[in-house]
Amino acid sequence: MRPTKLIAASAAAIAFSTVALADAPVPRRAVDLQQFDGRWYEIARTPNRNQPTCNRLQIDVTRAGDAYNVVNTCQRASGEPRIVRASASPLNDANNRLRFRAQGGAAGFIGVSQEFWVLDRADDYSWAILGTPGGNYFWLWSRSHSPANRSALLARVRALGYDTSNAVHVGA
């Protein structure tokens, strides 16, 4: 691996391995991963080094055997798309703890692996709140670009113990 790619990969890994800011709540609701299939839109997130200029993120999830393929596509400030492909594998029987492994598509992400928890979700899978176990990062996903209940969903994120004061609000 070239030194620049090694540095980028190391920086990406460090971005998600910082000291925990708070204890993330343990996911309590089981997840039917088949209901996670399809297109999602990122509505809000904690600022992070891996998405500094990433806007209008859409996430496409498809089943691939016992795992899932995840394709993240966003628009950079320049208007160019940025695509990161990953696989997601369940880590428990409730399927609410997942291991994402970047497969490539963006320099510096190949081989990066991170555990994410599905902390809450709608009964009809119209939205989901994902977070890192250390409580540092959250992502709010929706099936709609601009859900009517955005404020209520951010209140749910705050109730889970995440600081939303500096949240990046994305979508329409």
Side-chain angles (χ1 to χ4, degrees):
M1 182 179 284
R2 292 191 344 215
T4 55
K5 285 190 177 182
L6 179 60
I7 291 168
S10 298
I14 291 168
F16 285 124
S17 63
T18 57
V19 175
L21 297 177
D23 290 330
V26 176
R28 299 203 192 300
R29 297 180 74 189
V31 173
D32 177 356
L33 290 176
Q34 291 181 6
Q35 296 293 320
F36 252 68
D37 276 358
R39 178 156 292 164
W40 293 86
Y41 299 97
E42 183 183 75
I43 302 306
R45 69 170 179 266
T46 309
N48 64 76
R49 294 178 196 161
N50 288 332
Q51 295 176 281
T53 61
C54 195
N55 295 306
R56 300 192 59 82
L57 178 66
Q58 81 181 27
I59 306 102
D60 291 299
V61 180
T62 56
R63 188 173 181 99
D66 291 337
Y68 285 79
N69 290 325
V70 181
V71 179
N72 295 317
T73 306
C74 72
Q75 299 298 314
R76 296 179 181 168
S78 66
E80 292 292 316
R82 177 180 187 213
I83 300 170
V84 176
R85 298 176 194 287
S87 64
S89 301
L91 296 174
N92 64 352
D93 290 339
N95 297 322
N96 54 20
R97 294 179 49 212
L98 304 166
R99 168 75 55 194
F100 283 74
R101 286 185 178 80
Q103 299 170 333
F109 285 98
I110 298 171
V112 173
S113 177
Q114 174 64 48
E115 184 173 337
F116 291 89
W117 291 356
V118 180
L119 299 170
D120 200 1
R121 62 166 176 78
D123 291 337
D124 65 357
Y125 291 83
S126 60
W127 58 265
I129 300 169
L130 288 79
T132 55
N136 296 343
Y137 303 99
F138 77 85
W139 291 263
L140 176 55
W141 290 4
S142 174
R143 297 290 187 173
S144 160
H145 276 290
S146 185
N149 57 346
R150 178 189 298 258
S151 295
L153 292 174
L154 284 168
R156 287 181 89 100
V157 172
R158 281 190 297 279
L160 291 169
Y162 288 86
D163 179 9
T164 61
S165 65
N166 66 343
V168 176
H169 297 269
V170 292

